[in-house]
Amino acid sequence: MLPAAAKWYDRREAVFVEFCVEDSKDVQVHFDKSKFDFSCVSGTTNKKHQNAVDLFGGINPKESKHRRTDRSVLCCLQKAEGGVSWPRLTKDKTKLNWLSVDFNNWKNWEDDSDEDMSSFDRFSEMMNSMGGDNLPDLDGADDEHDSADSDDKCKYYSKK
């Protein structure tokens, strides 16, 4: 099994990890207080992917969710202690070649006021009040995959 390529970024109440796998099936995401596991089969070649991550901080497994699209699987990891910045996703400082920072969505939220929340901060708050295993549909999220720069395998939903 190969690890799936992934990008991550930090927000006040949650950490987001997007696994860049096209046409995924048999998606399994297991959240634990200090780690999470991801696996799936992708593409027409049925490549098997598996990732295990020991997390920098604790999460609330019951409030953490995932959402599958045709191009990726987005995981929303609800922090056990909101308002605490994560300088990295992993517990250890080890560089993982399959993991990178999503600089398109990264921001220094510690300096922002609550009135200036991004759409993903509002999305994160909405996630706190929702149940279920999957993230809700985002209006137009799938439409963004058809944009001019659709050659990028991993698209993000905050370009609204």
Side-chain angles (χ1 to χ4, degrees):
M1 285 197 207
L2 299 170
K7 293 185 177 186
W8 81 282
Y9 61 98
D10 184 35
R11 287 293 190 261
R12 270 184 186 80
E13 302 298 322
V15 173
F16 292 87
V17 181
E18 185 162 18
F19 292 96
C20 305
V21 287
E22 291 189 22
D23 301 323
S24 62
K25 52 191 169 216
D26 300 329
V27 174
Q28 299 288 319
V29 182
H30 300 284
F31 300 106
D32 193 22
K33 291 180 181 180
S34 62
K35 65 180 180 175
F36 82 104
D37 298 305
F38 168 82
S39 65
C40 73
V41 176
S42 71
T44 56
T45 59
N46 290 323
K47 272 189 191 174
K48 293 182 180 180
H49 297 282
Q50 184 172 13
N51 300 66
V53 182
D54 288 322
L55 297 167
F56 174 81
I59 63 169
N60 184 338
K62 292 181 181 181
E63 298 296 320
S64 297
K65 301 174 185 351
H66 71 280
R67 178 177 183 257
R68 183 203 158 283
T69 68
D70 289 341
R71 294 193 175 219
S72 66
V73 177
L74 177 66
C75 298
C76 174
L77 310 174
Q78 285 298 127
K79 292 179 180 178
E81 185 178 348
V84 176
S85 176
W86 287 22
R88 61 183 179 276
L89 179 65
T90 60
K91 180 179 179 179
D92 298 326
K93 289 185 178 182
T94 308
K95 170 76 173 139
L96 302 172
N97 61 359
W98 55 266
L99 181 65
S100 62
V101 173
D102 178 4
F103 288 108
N104 291 333
N105 285 307
W106 192 272
K107 70 177 217 166
N108 188 5
W109 53 262
E110 293 172 313
D111 297 337
D112 293 342
S113 70
D114 287 340
E115 299 166 8
D116 226 9
M117 290 195 308
S118 73
S119 61
F120 253 106
D121 287 328
R122 289 190 296 274
F123 177 71
S124 177
E125 284 185 355
M126 179 181 70
M127 293 297 298
N128 287 335
S129 63
M130 297 188 70
D133 292 332
N134 294 320
L135 299 177
D137 287 334
L138 300 175
D139 292 335
D142 291 331
D143 297 340
E144 290 186 27
H145 293 299
D146 299 329
S147 66
D149 55 350
S150 65
D151 56 329
D152 183 3
K153 287 188 174 203
C154 213
K155 288 295 183 189
Y156 301 92
Y157 308 108
S158 65
K159 293 183 179 180
K160 296 289 267 182

